Structures are given as C-alpha cells and as structure tokens.
Amino acid sequence: MTLDTIGEEIKKANSIAILAHESPDGDAIGSVLAMGLALENMGKQPDRIITEYPRKFQFLPGADKVKKESQVEKYDLAIALDCSDLRRLDGKEYFENAHKTIVIDHHSTNTMYGDINFVNPVATACCEILIGIFTYFELDIHQDLGTCILTGIITDTGGFKYQGVTAETFEFTAELLRKGVNVSEIYEKVLETRTRSNFELLKRILNRMEILENGKVAFTYITSQDEEEVHAEPGDHEGLVEVGRNVEGVEVSIFIRQIDNEAKYKISMRSTSDINVSDICYLFGGGGHPRAAGCVIQGTVEQVKEKIIQEVRNRLN
Ligand code: 5GP
Ligand code: MN
C-alpha cells in the first residue's frame, strides 16, 4: 500500500525537504509545519522550505524552523504538500534534484508529478489527508501537531463552512480541543485578522468591484502599484476574492492580481453554484477545486477580464 511505501522512504532518508505551493495559504503552511513535526517525531531532521512565509502564520509551532532556501543540493527525499503541479511548487529545484519524491495533495487536478503520489480530492484540506497518514503511522497527534493541522482545515473550509466538511471534520476538531488545541486562537489569527495592508487593498478592490452578467459575476483587481503603495507583504492579498462571492446573486467571483508589474495577472476564482471554476482555470493552464481555483493569464486588466469572463459566460444559464 502507498502509505507503507511512503513510510519506508521516510525511514530510509537521511535528508528530507518539505515543500508546498508558492504563495502559501494556511493549508500549505499547516501541512509543511505538521509534516515537519511528524518527521521529527519519527527521528528525522527535515528541512521545511518556504520562500515567502506570511507574517500571519508566525504564531504556529515550528514556524521558526522554516528556511527560505537550503544549501543541500540533492535531498534523499522531497515531499510536496498541497501542490497540484510542479510548476506551482515553491523550491521546485529541491524536488527535481531529490533522489526520491512524494506528493501528498487534495487537488483533483493534481498531475501526479512525484515518484509516489498520495492524492485524495475528497479531502477538504491537505492537512486532513495528513491526519490519516499520521494515524496510520501511529504517531501521536499532540497539541502542536494538531494546531498546524487544524490551521489547514480551518483555512481550506473557510472556518468549517464550505461543502466537503463532514462529521469527521468536527469529530477530529473535538478531539483536538480535548488535547488543548486553541481553536478560537487559530480562528482569530488565521481568518479574522486583517493586516493593515490587506485592509487598504480591500478598500481598493471594493471601489473597483463590478457586478456583471446580470448580477452573476463579480470582478475586481489589484495592480503591482497598489501593492507597493500599501506596502503589501506576501499573503496580504489573501481572502480578497471572497468579498465578491458573498454578494447576493453572484455565482462566480473573479479577483485578478498583477504579477511583478508585467502584463500578466494571477487569477483567483470562487464559485457558489455548479459552475466549476477549476475547469475554467484548467483551460488557462491552472487548476484547483470546483469552487476555488486559479491560473495565470497574460494581458492588460481589460484583456484578462474579457478572456476569463468569456469562459464564465459560456457556462452561465
Ligand atoms: P487561491 O485563489 O486561493 O489562490 O487558490 C484557490 C485554489 O486554486 C487553491 O486550491 C489553489 O491551490 C488553486 N490554484 C490557484 N492558482 C492555481 C494555479 O495557477 N494552478 C493550479 N493548478 N492551481 C491553482
Ligand atoms: Mn489546500
């Protein structure tokens, strides 16, 4: 079984790199930190590599052990978490050079780019898959490990509110509460606190938000200049796409963010209906989940907007 193979590879490896997708969210970070603690419990000394670690996740156990880069050229083992394809992997060079590679993920669009791939698209978060793996390895899910795992689950379920949340999600959370995990602290820090820069960006995206296609599509954007002006740090744009989605009647929310002052935008999409935004992003080389997905499109704001809305329009009733 795949999990036995994963266990064997971990046991054999002397050097291990733990990686996740670029622009990491709470699930990516929670997964990397949880895997780091778990491997330490297994007697390993893994490197957790995240190039741009968002400030709001600094409170998590093991955050101080995260490295921006590593001097190790060839790891025995590289583990990619919460990342659907190699192109999006932060620190992909460590993965490409590693002797053996493992991918653990919950995106249905995962391209199975590892030597060993453990992908479960039904899981609400990559962290949820880790619970299964750690339980299989008979590891104790203690308070610190639980805090990291719950951060991923809370992030990717929008605070237990998205479809996909099951009775098990709550049962597991209850178990962690008993172990002393501070659920309200995680909730507060991860979901309820805006950085000042994020707040300034929020004002801008609200001002620019257009409700199109008979009220079914919300569109807004930020440029690199906006980010410079508000002194945005990594992660400060997180959550802005949610604003449009919460407007009554909106089925698809689109938020686009300029990349490095170029004629190129990162697209974030959310759906509240049967419109599968992952399918739409897939057309542009991206992917994600049916109700939350992303991709990159070349062009000006107007050009990118037209390209993406065209595809949404084709799917609206
Ligand atoms: P977000 O809009 O929060 O950045 O991403 C929403 C979801 O889509 C996440 O699960 C994320 O991993 C996925 N996603 C975002 N951008 C891309 C992309 O360019 N390619 C792929 N394959 N997935 C993406
Ligand atoms: Mn995830």
Side-chain angles (χ1 to χ4, degrees), residues 28-260:
I29 287 175
S31 296
V32 168
L33 296 183
M35 183 57 87
L37 291 173
L39 294 186
E40 278 175 358
N41 288 358
M42 294 168 83
K44 302 290 166 180
Q45 289 179 315
D47 281 345
R48 304 129 161 106
I49 305 170
I50 295 176
T51 317
E52 292 191 322
Y53 192 93
R55 200 155 39 94
K56 76 192 255 192
F57 297 109
Q58 210 64 56
F59 75 101
L60 288 172
D64 52 326
K65 295 184 181 167
V66 170
K67 299 178 176 181
K68 276 184 178 301
E69 56 187 355
S70 154
Q71 305 310 322
V72 179
E73 268 174 29
K74 196 171 174 66
Y75 281 94
D76 292 340
L77 179 64
I79 306 177
L81 301 167
D82 195 35
C83 182
S84 57
D85 56 79
L86 187 58
R87 217 163 21 115
R88 289 199 80 216
L89 189 63
D90 184 20
K92 60 173 92 53
E93 60 276 22
Y94 306 110
F95 193 90
E96 285 171 321
N97 291 338
H99 196 67
K100 258 277 167 345
T101 57
I102 296 175
V103 171
I104 300 171
D105 185 31
H106 70 129
H107 293 91
S108 59
T109 50
N110 192 290
T111 58
M112 308 288 177
Y113 54 98
D115 296 323
I116 306 166
N117 300 282
F118 193 75
V119 178
N120 175 8
V122 176
T124 53
C126 183
C127 276
E128 190 181 301
I129 302 178
L130 295 185
I131 300 170
I133 297 179
F134 298 160
T135 308
Y136 187 80
F137 290 166
E138 297 181 345
L139 292 175
D140 173 34
I141 301 188
H142 51 72
Q143 189 175 344
D144 282 355
L145 192 49
T147 301
C148 298
I149 290 177
L150 207 53
T151 296
I153 293 178
I154 286 179
T155 306
D156 269 23
T157 61
F160 306 110
K161 70 173 186 265
Y162 297 157
Q163 283 186 345
V165 171
T166 60
E168 283 76 34
T169 316
F170 287 106
E171 278 157 11
F172 177 73
T173 306
E175 183 95 353
L176 290 179
L177 270 167
R178 271 185 218 106
K179 288 185 177 171
V181 171
N182 192 337
V183 177
S184 68
E185 185 197 23
I186 300 175
Y187 212 102
E188 179 72 32
K189 293 220 160 111
V190 171
L191 289 186
E192 302 292 325
T193 310
R194 291 187 181 281
T195 59
R196 281 293 301 276
S197 304
N198 175 273
F199 178 67
E200 294 303 325
L201 291 176
L202 173 65
K203 291 202 272 190
R204 295 183 188 211
I205 65 124
L206 279 172
N207 263 330
R208 289 172 192 160
M209 191 169 292
E210 297 174 85
I211 305 290
L212 308 161
E213 306 296 320
N214 291 323
K216 293 182 175 173
V217 175
F219 173 87
T220 192
Y221 68 94
I222 55 171
T223 61
S224 301
Q225 194 185 339
D226 290 322
E227 294 201 65
E228 282 157 29
E229 284 170 5
V230 306
H231 310 292
E233 287 182 28
D236 278 339
H237 63 280
E238 288 292 331
L240 296 176
V241 65
E242 316 289 342
V243 180
R245 190 191 50 186
N246 295 342
V247 179
E248 185 180 21
V250 167
E251 294 186 22
V252 175
S253 173
I254 307 166
F255 162 66
I256 73 170
R257 171 178 173 243
Q258 191 178 20
I259 302 173
D260 298 335

Side-chain angles (χ1 to χ4, degrees), residues 8-27:
E8 281 158 27
E9 290 302 336
I10 291 172
K11 276 194 199 101
K12 272 198 299 199
N14 285 318
S15 59
I16 306 177
I18 311 174
L19 313 165
H21 67 76
E22 61 188 9
S23 247
D25 57 10
D27 191 28

